[in-house]
Amino acid sequence: MSTAQAVKIGIAEMEVVIAPNVIRTCGLGSCVGVVIYDAGKAVAGMAHVMLPHSSMARGGVINAAKYADTAVEALVQLVIAAGGRKGMLKAKLAGGAQMFSFSTAGGDMMRIGARNVEEVKRQLERFHIPVVAEDVGGHSGRTIEFNPQTGVLSIRTAAQEIKEI
Amino acid sequence: MDDIRNLTGMHIDILREIGNIGAGNAATALSTLLNKKIEMAVPRVQIATFAEMMESIGGPEQVVACVYLRIEGEAPGNMFFVLPPEQAERFVRRMIGDDSFSFQGEAHELGCSALQELGNILAGSYLSALADFTQLNLHPSVPALAIDMIGAVLSFGLLELSRVGDYAILIDTAIYDERRPDESINGHFFLLPDPESFSTIFRALGVDGL
């Protein structure tokens, strides 16, 4: 009997799972959901990233999961600690939408989704982790679930479309 | 604002009063617009992690119709008027006098601008009450509209706060129409001031900042 669990992470959080468990996060807008996994070991980590860079933080302790630059690094460590092998890691990502398209409001925050995606990719490159699939940009929110057993990232939007990458 | 956990009971009361005054004004505007009595709940001031806040408003996946605008001026922040999509549809039908209107239909653009205009009126009256009360110069940006998961839309309003810490301060005021449960209105005004706006607001009201 399988006792698989769906581990849920919230905004600015991250977690790692081993099959048969799956991991999901809901309501990604400009945020990016990044998954780093080792298919052979069926282990996967996911972070729900809000902002591109920890240099945007103003004082205080930095929550690594919140920023693309710190989240990717921390996630790599988490996945390796859970049995993932350096050199075997791959990534999938989704999110980075621009939710309010016809607004002039928000200033430089309007492009935050695209900037999040760019920085996540830059960081993955730094760790030599290939992005094997992505569903980013656009104007819709996304809920994503990753299954480390199959390596499939399932993406659902408010319009109930389901996409598997 | 260095640490929002330093907020005292008095600060929370002031934020609640801000929700009260702003949303009260907006509810009155809506009553006039729809010619029916709109009730308002006591505002809720929430200090929670982002994830906890999302859970407390029904979970990030819940689909809503949302009018967003940026508050500009002396105490900048973000404001959202949020309601279930089927209620937004009903508002639009009433406003444009077309009972067949649906967000999926062809008149989509007209409906969207009607809803944006509604958000504009409500947010404008919320803000003008707030500006009168605090004597601060506050004005709304052009409104933007999205019909999508609440987590996806509201997280945009958390970006500024997220640069300072891992907690959200959300001033949440619900409006409803309890006499017509069949045609009930169940909307929320969410006010998310930028971090530095809290001390501006407290100072403007003659209370020591943080």
Side-chain angles (χ1 to χ4, degrees):
Chain A
M1 283 301 284
S2 158
T3 51
Q5 272 186 7
V7 174
K8 197 172 157 185
I9 61 163
I11 181 168
E13 293 178 354
M14 65 180 160
E15 200 54 79
V16 65
V17 293
I18 298 170
N21 297 337
V22 299
I23 188 162
R24 72 191 316 244
T25 196
C26 301
L28 288 163
S30 62
C31 297
V32 172
V34 52
V35 177
I36 295 175
Y37 66 104
D38 178 339
K41 294 281 187 184
V43 52
M46 180 188 281
H48 186 138
V49 170
M50 288 182 89
L51 291 167
H53 212 274
S54 55
S55 63
M56 295 174 81
R58 293 192 301 213
V61 184
I62 285 177
N63 166 11
K66 199 194 303 177
Y67 305 95
D69 63 331
T70 48
V72 169
E73 184 163 359
L75 205 52
V76 170
Q77 285 167 12
L78 268 185
V79 173
I80 288 173
R85 296 157 297 176
K86 207 175 174 178
M88 300 300 282
L89 301 180
K90 288 175 180 166
K92 290 191 178 184
L93 44 133
Q98 190 176 336
M99 297 307 298
F100 298 103
S101 48
F102 25 89
S103 168
T104 52
D108 64 336
M109 284 296 183
M110 280 321 280
R111 268 197 79 250
I112 202 76
R115 287 168 59 198
N116 280 335
V117 172
E118 283 161 23
E119 188 58 33
V120 165
K121 286 185 176 172
R122 222 170 63 86
Q123 293 295 327
L124 288 168
E125 210 168 287
R126 185 157 80 90
F127 292 95
H128 310 290
I129 300 171
V131 176
V132 293
E134 63 179 60
D135 179 41
V136 297
H139 302 291
S140 299
R142 296 168 170 94
T143 282
I144 63 171
E145 182 172 290
F146 187 80
N147 183 341
Q149 192 76 68
T150 59
V152 170
L153 182 66
S154 150
I155 301 152
R156 195 165 63 72
T157 64
Q160 303 297 320
E161 293 159 19
I162 294 181
K163 199 189 264 187
E164 291 192 335
I165 63 172
Chain B
M1 190 186 60
D2 292 333
D3 193 341
I4 59 169
R5 284 164 293 180
N6 292 339
L7 283 173
T8 64
M10 184 178 59
H11 291 126
I12 304 277
D13 282 346
I14 287 172
L15 296 179
R16 197 177 290 125
E17 187 56 17
I18 280 180
N20 221 358
I21 288 173
N25 222 36
T28 306
L30 189 60
S31 293
T32 312
L33 201 69
L34 298 178
N35 194 25
K36 65 202 282 186
K37 195 162 172 4
I38 307 291
E39 316 277 340
M40 192 185 89
V42 175
R44 186 164 69 132
V45 177
Q46 277 197 75
I47 302 176
T49 66
F50 304 130
E52 283 166 359
M53 187 201 82
M54 292 296 179
E55 289 307 323
S56 81
I57 54 176
E61 249 190 317
Q62 196 192 340
V63 176
V64 292
C66 169
V67 179
Y68 160 74
L69 42 87
R70 176 84 185 147
I71 301 167
E72 287 156 358
E74 290 175 284
N78 299 295
M79 210 181 131
F80 296 86
F81 176 55
V82 165
L83 68 171
E86 59 280 6
Q87 288 177 23
E89 227 161 51
R90 223 156 43 212
F91 271 131
V92 171
R93 284 178 190 159
R94 218 169 154 132
M95 286 175 77
I96 64 177
D98 175 1
D99 281 345
S100 65
F101 172 79
S102 140
F103 283 113
Q104 264 83 46
E106 282 177 3
H108 189 86
E109 267 182 43
L110 176 64
C112 286
S113 47
L115 195 56
Q116 242 164 300
E117 187 49 30
L118 176 72
N120 213 10
I121 291 166
L122 298 183
S125 51
Y126 190 115
L127 273 192
S128 65
L130 204 53
D132 285 348
F133 180 57
T134 57
Q135 296 292 304
L136 291 169
N137 170 27
L138 302 171
H139 47 95
S141 73
V142 173
L145 175 74
I147 298 169
D148 214 307
M149 301 174 185
I150 195 165
V153 289
L154 210 53
S155 57
F156 190 72
L158 294 174
L159 295 177
E160 285 297 334
L161 276 171
S162 77
R163 296 170 64 179
V164 176
D166 291 305
Y167 290 84
I169 306 184
L170 179 76
I171 305 168
D172 168 8
T173 316
I175 54 163
Y176 57 94
D177 168 19
E178 62 181 7
R179 285 189 221 171
R180 297 283 302 275
D182 54 321
E183 231 187 77
S184 73
I185 290 164
N186 185 11
H188 284 262
F189 290 101
F190 294 126
L191 182 66
L192 286 154
D194 284 0
E196 53 284 352
S197 296
F198 289 95
S199 33
T200 311
I201 291 168
F202 294 138
R203 220 179 303 122
L205 296 173
V207 176
D208 279 341
L210 294 169

